[in-house]
Amino acid sequence: MDLSLELSPDLIVAFLTLFVLEIVLGIDNVIFISILASKLPAEQQAKARNLGLSLAMLTRIGLLFLASWIISLTNDLFELFGMGFSGRDLILIVGGLFLIYKAVLEIHEKLEGAGEKSGNGKAVTFGAVIAQILLLDIVFSFDSVITAVGMVDSLLVIIVAVVLSFGVMLFSSKYIFAFVNKHPTVKMLALAFLVLIGVTLIADGFEVKIDKALIYVPIAFAIIVEALNLTYKSRQEKKSGTHVDPVALRQAYSTAPDGDARAAATSGAGGSGSVTISTKPVTGTPTDPE
């Protein structure tokens, strides 16, 4: 592959196809980065998202320059029970297992975990989040690079398609982040999608080919169903003039002292499912309204 460029109708069609494909494949990255970034304090979340996507783009471009080495990873390294395993297979299997582990762990923490950061719990650090993002960036990039190399011979065209697609994702990531974190059902669906994608990575590592349509069509259908549910809920609230807060998932961080958090959680246990923690200090003594 080289950096030469000779425009032709076929090259333009290949570029547009690759551009759309990079965006579709990059949605996995955006969802994973958004979920990991939400574990950080609010002032670090945007920085983590932007840095994570930038590292993903640089990783993909770097792997493109190593395309010949990437392709060589498809050669079998060893055999086990009559099945050959290549370097690419091992990366996909390990990456799939890691993705499933992180998604299931996140579901547990949101629904049944300790929730608020406790004294004996470990705080999530910015560096740890970026390290996890970078690890999955490499896994997500392998198939993308192999696909791109198979579609287009010009390295310059591939790099342009990657940069433009990540530009679109960088712009839309904050909206995806806000939407996913605003609606608990969407967040659970996103985590379920990551489990599904992890399974497909493992299957691919064992040379079990799963048609991408069997993965993305159910995901798209689930998104459409949830969009209809949210639209219906919004219209019902407008008609009734009331607002029903969604179930509040447990958060990794709290701005209130532990005692206030426990008190607020206790007082809100029988309410509508939404817990509000006030950080404003109380001064003076309460008095009855006149």
Side-chain angles (χ1 to χ4, degrees):
M1 296 184 69
D2 53 50
L3 292 172
S4 61
L5 180 63
E6 185 176 343
L7 289 178
S8 66
D10 290 341
L11 186 62
I12 294 175
V13 171
F15 166 77
L16 293 176
T17 304
L18 183 59
F19 173 69
V20 174
L21 183 63
E22 288 291 333
I23 292 178
V24 172
L25 294 177
I27 293 297
D28 305 341
N29 246 357
V30 174
I31 293 175
F32 183 77
I33 290 173
S34 296
I35 291 173
L36 280 182
S38 66
K39 300 173 73 68
L40 292 169
E43 63 273 12
Q44 295 183 348
Q45 291 175 359
K47 182 180 178 181
R49 289 198 317 271
N50 295 336
L51 181 58
L53 281 172
S54 299
L55 288 174
M57 180 183 69
L58 294 175
T59 299
R60 199 157 297 185
I61 292 175
L63 290 177
L64 283 170
F65 282 100
L66 300 174
S68 58
W69 174 71
I70 297 294
I71 294 175
S72 70
L73 289 177
T74 57
N75 299 326
D76 287 347
L77 298 176
F78 61 91
E79 285 191 5
L80 189 63
F81 302 113
M83 181 181 297
F85 290 90
S86 65
R88 172 183 172 275
D89 295 335
L90 296 178
I91 291 173
L92 291 177
I93 292 171
V94 173
L97 289 172
F98 178 72
L99 191 59
I100 293 174
Y101 166 77
K102 289 300 298 181
V104 173
L105 183 64
E106 184 70 14
I107 292 173
H108 175 79
E109 288 179 353
K110 290 299 180 185
L111 298 180
E112 297 195 26
E116 306 297 336
K117 187 182 72 172
S118 58
N120 57 1
K122 292 183 179 180
V124 179
T125 64
F126 184 84
V129 169
I130 294 300
Q132 293 177 60
I133 290 174
L134 184 57
L135 177 61
L136 261 297
D137 284 344
I138 295 173
V139 176
F140 285 138
S141 295
F142 264 85
D143 268 1
S144 174
V145 169
I146 293 174
T147 301
V149 171
M151 289 179 59
V152 183
D153 292 328
S154 174
L155 182 60
L156 181 60
V157 170
I158 299 175
I159 291 176
V160 171
V162 169
V163 171
L164 290 179
S165 65
F166 271 94
V168 172
M169 288 186 287
L170 196 63
F171 173 77
S172 61
S173 64
K174 61 180 179 180
Y175 302 105
I176 295 175
F177 174 83
F179 184 76
V180 167
N181 285 282
K182 181 180 179 182
H183 301 287
T185 51
V186 174
K187 192 158 194 173
M188 288 299 105
L189 277 175
L191 290 167
F193 295 162
L194 292 179
V195 173
L196 185 60
I197 293 167
V199 171
T200 61
L201 290 176
I202 295 173
D204 198 0
F206 282 97
E207 301 299 331
V208 177
K209 300 300 179 184
I210 300 177
D211 190 348
K212 296 294 184 183
L214 295 177
I215 303 300
Y216 288 105
V217 169
I219 289 177
F221 179 74
I223 292 173
I224 292 172
V225 171
E226 181 57 21
L228 292 174
N229 284 333
L230 293 175
T231 302
Y232 175 77
K233 176 177 177 288
S234 177
R235 289 181 177 178
Q236 290 297 106
E237 288 178 349
K238 287 181 180 180
K239 288 181 180 179
S240 62
T242 59
H243 175 70
V244 179
D245 291 329
V247 173
L249 297 178
R250 298 177 187 270
Q251 299 299 322
Y253 282 84
S254 171
T255 55
D258 290 343
D260 293 343
R262 286 193 296 269
T266 302
S267 64
S272 61
S274 176
V275 178
T276 302
I277 299 175
S278 174
T279 59
K280 183 177 179 181
V282 179
T283 57
T285 57
T287 57
D288 294 331
E290 295 182 359

